[in-house]
């Protein structure tokens, strides 16, 4: 088993006890909730006459169901209105901090917590959303949990979990222009498989990772779950500390300097033991696009869809299903694949740096005829900052729609949905069947810059052609 890693240190520091089942009862330092998985959890508390044990350790926002065209209340969708009303009531009754629409702090839960300094190194974090792994970018151990576990954390501030193995994934070298963190994680998932991380926490390391900004690291950790891992993290460093300094909920003044000393002590030891180590060369990573119905069904943009014989016998049924569903076949190039809808946003790629990269591509160009393209900021703060920089004007002049913050078409629990067999170029995280709101809709995952270029050309294109 691993020893001396950040994961081991944080796990041990938060262990309450070892249960008879052999699981660890783990204290959760920060609990993030939203409108989708919390109503039932609060109802279960009421049924048992339980209260929220540490309301000051829970923070709420609304993101999944909010419309991005008009957020006037009541919402046009009565179920969405019912869900936000329930969250408003539950947070007020239990004295929980709630960042509602119009507060200036609302947005996708995995965007707002880091930008406000709530997410910090050494924390254990839980949220009723699978992409909670995002927060690992700060050297936290962050878990996506189900509704019954949301109840457990509300009631006890703990979770019962099996300890994970730790796999170190190194990416060394320098990424080529036009290759982004999204391409790195898609390349890793493509190589190791959608189930390759089962039972593991992923520690991302190596010179290419160390050179990434915090927002790039968040993209990387966000999709750990798509690779089968339960969580992913990056050891905190000066880039982490510079990002956190001065943020509202981060330690201030002398307390911050003391916190940095402690955060440094949590980094994986130089002689740490890992359960597995895998090394990638950054030069081998190209702009990457998914072609199928699982995030590991991905290729470099200049490659062709692989033949069935190149997959193991256990994978071939799913590959054949992907060929059929996507109307794509072996040997077909990704370049030139026609697109109907282009979506830039999500907890994976809805941050300011993502919008900046997409705007570089959009500036001075125009969305192709017949293409619907829209940009959805990850939070109210991101939207405000982007507008201060004039990014909204660049997108609008290029023919993109500039929307209000929310999860939007990442999972389409709101009005933003594909129609019929439309193909979407998306900066989100999942390309499952029906993921973007249509039972027959098709999703191609790629970086925001690649999505922007697909919108301009009306087809999958190689962003390196502009650089």
């Amino acid at each position: 088993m691993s020893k001396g890693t950040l994961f081991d240190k944080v796990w041990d520091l938060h262990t309450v006890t070892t249960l008879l089942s052999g699981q660890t009862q783990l204290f959760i330092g920060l609990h993030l909730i939203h409108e989708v998985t919390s109503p039932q959890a609060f109802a279960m508390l009421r049924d048992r006459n339980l209260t929220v044990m540490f309301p000051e350790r829970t923070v709420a926002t609304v993101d999944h169901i909010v419309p991005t065209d008009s957020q006037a209340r009541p919402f046009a969708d009565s179920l969405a209105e019912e869900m936000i009303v329930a969250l408003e009531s539950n947070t007020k009754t239990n004295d929980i901090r709630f960042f509602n629409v119009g507060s200036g702090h609302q947005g996708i839960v995995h965007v707002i917590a880091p930008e406000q300094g709530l997410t910090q190194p050494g924390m254990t974090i839980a949220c009723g959303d699978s992409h909670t792994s995002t927060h690992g970018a700060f050297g936290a151990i962050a878990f996506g949990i189900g509704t019954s576990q949301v109840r457990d954390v509300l009631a006890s501030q703990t979770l019962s979990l099996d300890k994970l193995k730790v796999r170190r994934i190194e990416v060394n070298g320098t990424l080529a222009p036009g290759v982004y963190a999204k391409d790195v994680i898609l390349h890793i998932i493509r190589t190791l498989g959608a189930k390759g991380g089962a039972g593991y926490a992923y520690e991302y390391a190596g010179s290419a990772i160390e050179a990434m900004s915090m927002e790039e690291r968040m993209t990387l950790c966000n999709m750990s779950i798509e690779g089968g891992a339960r969580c992913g993290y990056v050891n905190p460093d000066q880039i982490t500390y510079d990002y956190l300094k001065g943020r509202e909920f981060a330690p201030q003044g002398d307390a911050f300097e003391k916190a940095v000393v402690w955060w440094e002590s949590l980094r994986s030891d130089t002689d740490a033991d890992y359960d597995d180590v895998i090394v990638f060369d950054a030069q081998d990573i190209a702009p990457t696009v998914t072609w199928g119905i699982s995030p590991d069904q991905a290729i470099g943009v200049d490659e062709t869809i692989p033949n069935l014989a190149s997959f193991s016998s256990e994978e071939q049924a799913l590959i054949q299903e992907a060929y059929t569903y996507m109307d794509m076949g072996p040997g077909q190039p990704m370049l030139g694949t026609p697109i109907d809808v282009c979506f830039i946003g999500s907890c994976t790629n809805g941050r300011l740096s993502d919008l900046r990269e997409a705007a570089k591509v959009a500036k001075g160009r125009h969305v192709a005829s017949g293409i619907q393209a829209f940009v959805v900021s990850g939070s109210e703060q991101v939207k405000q900052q982007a507008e201060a920089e004039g990014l909204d004007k660049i997108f609008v002049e290029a023919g993109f729609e500039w929307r209000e913050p929310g999860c939007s078409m990442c999972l389409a629990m709101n009005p933003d949905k594909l129609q019929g067999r439309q193909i979407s170029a998306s900066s989100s995280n999942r390309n499952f069947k029906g993921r973007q709101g249509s039972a027959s809709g098709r999703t191609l995952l790629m970086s925001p810059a690649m999505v922007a270029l697909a919108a301009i050309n009306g087809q999958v294109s190689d962003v390196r052609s502009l650089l």
Side-chain angles (χ1 to χ4, degrees):
M1 289 293 291
S2 62
K3 182 180 179 182
T5 70
L6 179 142
F7 180 86
D8 293 298
K9 295 178 184 181
V10 175
W11 186 278
D12 291 346
L13 284 167
H14 291 81
T15 294
V16 177
T17 189
T18 301
L19 303 171
L20 293 176
S21 64
Q23 290 186 307
T24 299
Q25 185 182 20
L26 200 70
F27 184 81
I28 301 301
L30 175 64
H31 187 202
L32 303 169
I33 62 173
H34 54 80
E35 76 281 11
V36 175
T37 53
S38 66
Q40 304 92 324
F42 281 108
M44 286 186 273
L45 290 189
R46 289 192 292 269
D47 290 344
R48 292 164 174 77
N49 293 316
L50 296 173
T51 58
V52 178
M53 179 168 280
F54 294 114
E56 69 276 11
R57 290 187 176 272
T58 298
V59 175
T61 192
V62 56
D63 53 10
H64 285 63
I65 53 88
V66 293
T68 64
D69 49 1
S70 170
Q71 296 184 338
R73 300 284 300 277
F75 293 156
D77 184 333
S78 59
L79 179 58
E81 179 65 19
E82 182 181 343
M83 294 172 81
I84 190 173
V85 167
L87 186 61
E88 289 169 336
S89 174
N90 287 325
T91 52
K92 183 177 181 180
T93 300
N94 293 279
D95 197 26
I96 291 170
R97 188 186 301 274
F98 176 38
F99 298 125
N100 204 347
V101 174
S103 66
H105 296 291
Q106 176 267 337
I108 304 173
V109 65
H110 309 311
V111 176
I112 67 160
E115 74 184 6
Q116 294 178 46
L118 287 161
T119 302
Q120 298 170 25
M123 280 186 164
T124 48
I125 300 174
C127 176
D129 184 277
S130 56
H131 292 100
T132 309
S133 54
T134 306
H135 304 267
F138 291 80
I141 304 302
F143 302 101
I145 57 178
T147 298
S148 62
Q149 291 175 304
V150 173
R151 172 205 63 197
D152 294 345
V153 178
L154 289 171
S156 71
Q157 207 62 39
T158 66
L159 283 174
S160 299
L161 298 169
D162 292 311
K163 190 175 182 182
L164 302 168
K165 295 182 289 184
V166 182
R167 171 179 287 156
R168 180 179 168 94
I169 298 179
E170 291 185 22
V171 184
N172 293 312
T174 303
L175 296 174
V179 178
Y180 302 91
K182 182 65 161 288
D183 303 303
V184 174
I185 190 59
L186 285 174
H187 183 82
I188 291 170
I189 295 169
R190 167 194 182 183
T191 305
L192 302 183
K195 298 179 181 178
Y200 282 97
Y202 279 177
E203 177 179 299
Y204 299 104
S207 57
I209 308 302
E210 292 167 1
M212 286 183 178
S213 69
M214 287 310 302
E215 296 195 349
E216 291 173 305
R217 295 177 187 184
M218 282 186 260
T219 294
L220 189 73
C221 292
N222 174 273
M223 289 188 66
S224 301
I225 203 76
E226 271 70 49
R230 187 67 194 275
C231 66
Y233 68 88
V234 178
N235 279 295
D237 58 14
Q238 193 60 47
I239 293 173
T240 316
Y241 315 142
D242 290 344
Y243 178 96
L244 285 171
K245 192 170 186 178
R247 294 187 183 267
E248 183 174 355
F249 293 97
Q252 304 295 320
D254 290 343
F256 184 84
E257 302 307 321
K258 292 178 181 177
V260 168
V261 173
W262 184 65
W263 293 339
E264 275 285 298
S265 73
L266 298 174
R267 290 173 52 87
S268 295
D269 297 338
T270 54
D271 59 350
D273 293 328
Y274 295 88
D275 297 286
D276 191 26
V277 177
I278 297 175
V279 180
F280 292 89
D281 188 333
Q283 294 183 343
D284 295 336
I285 303 174
T288 303
V289 181
T290 60
W291 61 266
I293 55 176
S294 175
D296 59 343
Q297 294 170 354
I299 54 177
V301 66
D302 52 358
E303 295 181 56
T304 59
I305 295 174
N307 293 313
L308 189 65
S310 65
F311 297 92
S312 67
S313 57
E314 293 80 11
E315 296 176 284
Q316 289 185 3
L318 181 61
I319 296 302
Q320 188 61 62
E321 182 182 353
Y323 290 155
T324 302
Y325 183 84
M326 297 296 292
D327 281 338
M328 295 182 181
Q332 182 175 334
M334 285 307 302
L335 281 172
T337 301
I339 297 298
D340 301 302
V341 177
C342 293
F343 166 57
I344 297 170
S346 82
C347 63
T348 311
N349 283 127
R351 297 176 181 83
L352 187 61
S353 60
D354 299 310
L355 305 191
R356 285 172 176 160
E357 292 302 315
K360 289 178 185 177
V361 174
K363 188 173 184 178
R365 301 180 173 87
H366 201 276
V367 171
S369 176
I371 303 297
Q372 181 191 16
F374 55 104
V375 181
V376 183
S377 301
S379 72
E380 291 179 340
Q381 285 192 12
V382 170
K383 185 171 185 288
Q384 292 162 7
Q385 291 165 347
E387 289 174 349
E389 295 182 15
L391 301 185
D392 58 323
K393 293 182 175 61
I394 292 174
F395 286 120
V396 171
E397 289 172 2
F400 290 80
E401 298 175 44
W402 180 250
R403 299 288 193 87
E404 299 296 328
C407 290
S408 187
M409 197 184 275
C410 176
L411 78 171
M413 290 184 70
N414 49 71
D416 301 343
K417 303 177 188 293
L418 292 181
Q419 303 297 319
R421 291 287 287 161
Q422 285 183 324
I423 298 181
S424 166
S426 178
S427 70
S428 54
N429 42 54
R430 287 182 174 165
N431 56 337
F432 301 158
K433 288 182 176 181
R435 171 72 178 181
Q436 292 192 283
S438 167
S440 57
R442 294 166 288 173
T443 301
L444 308 181
L445 302 177
M446 59 190 78
S447 72
M450 288 280 287
V451 175
L453 188 58
I456 301 300
N457 293 338
Q459 61 187 20
V460 175
S461 306
D462 191 339
V463 72
R464 292 174 297 185
S465 66
L466 296 182
L467 304 175

